[in-house]
Amino acid sequence: MASKVLHAIFTDDDILMHAVKALREKKYSIDEVFCPFPVHGLDKAMGLPGTRLAITSFLYGLVGLAVSTWMMNFIMIEDWPQDIGGKPSFSYLQNMPAFVPIMFEMTVFFAAHLMVITFYLRSKLWPFKKAENPDVRTTDDKFLMEVSVNENNVQAIAEVLYENGASEIKLIDNK
């Protein structure tokens, strides 16, 4: 990581997207962008790799389906079989149509809850974590782009940022 970074403030998400594309065309490195709301297409414009969270969600859903199948088979067939509404409980397959709603709900439950936990762990968000937001205005209505710089390219990057709509630029020393 560079010892100095430029913090460029933008007032609109479209202006920010234009500036990101302009910096990427000139092969400058954008470290981070802080936004008050999600900006559609920003990850692709920054050149970030795709996420694998959808794959984990599918796997968590399969875990939920397996747990629900095992749970219903154990409870309703093996451990405590009951004659409910005249339906025999001799095998799981005979009773499976009645278990489909439970299987669906457990699949969604496991996928949703384990995805939240995975997201928090992957994002390193846990209770009492100190905020890493460099400017509090980005939680209200401003957008901040953090760009790594060295002594040679500070002026060139600042010019590109001003040309593309930055309302304010600060040079910050990383310690």
Side-chain angles (χ1 to χ4, degrees):
M1 181 177 255
S3 62
K4 293 185 180 187
V5 293
L6 279 178
H7 283 178
I9 300 287
F10 295 90
T11 56
D12 188 44
D13 56 336
D14 293 329
I15 297 170
L16 171 75
M17 286 291 286
H18 185 68
V20 166
K21 290 174 184 175
L23 279 178
R24 294 270 300 154
E25 283 176 6
K26 297 196 183 281
K27 306 289 188 222
Y28 291 124
S29 171
I30 300 170
D31 289 342
E32 189 67 68
V33 176
F34 296 89
C35 302
F37 54 83
V39 177
H40 181 70
L42 183 61
D43 53 344
K44 286 187 174 75
M46 289 178 63
L48 298 175
T51 179
R52 295 183 303 267
L53 285 176
I55 297 168
T56 59
S57 177
F58 178 72
L59 294 175
Y60 294 154
L62 289 179
V63 169
L65 182 64
V67 167
S68 67
T69 302
W70 173 82
M71 179 189 73
M72 289 179 298
N73 184 52
F74 179 74
I75 293 171
M76 299 299 290
I77 306 301
E78 294 176 16
D79 187 44
W80 196 280
Q82 296 178 15
D83 185 5
I84 300 172
K87 294 181 181 178
S89 55
F90 301 127
S91 74
Y92 179 80
L93 290 177
Q94 285 179 328
N95 292 311
M96 194 181 76
F99 296 152
V100 169
I102 299 167
M103 293 163 56
F104 173 76
E105 292 298 330
M106 290 289 285
T107 300
V108 172
F109 178 85
F110 269 71
H113 287 79
L114 292 175
M115 279 302 298
V116 167
I117 293 168
T118 301
F119 175 75
Y120 284 149
L121 291 174
R122 180 72 179 99
S123 301
K124 297 178 183 159
L125 294 172
W126 36 75
F128 311 111
K129 183 179 189 283
K130 187 178 179 235
E132 296 176 2
N133 196 353
D135 193 333
V136 295
R137 293 178 293 173
T138 60
T139 61
D140 293 330
D141 62 345
K142 303 289 186 216
F143 301 84
L144 185 137
M145 183 189 309
E146 190 174 86
V147 183
S148 295
V149 295
N150 57 36
E151 298 299 328
N152 302 331
N153 64 1
V154 173
Q155 189 63 30
I157 294 175
E159 286 176 11
V160 171
L161 289 169
Y162 273 128
E163 288 171 4
N164 289 289
S167 61
E168 174 184 332
I169 296 178
K170 292 181 188 174
L171 183 62
I172 307 293
D173 233 353
N174 274 353
K175 296 177 184 168

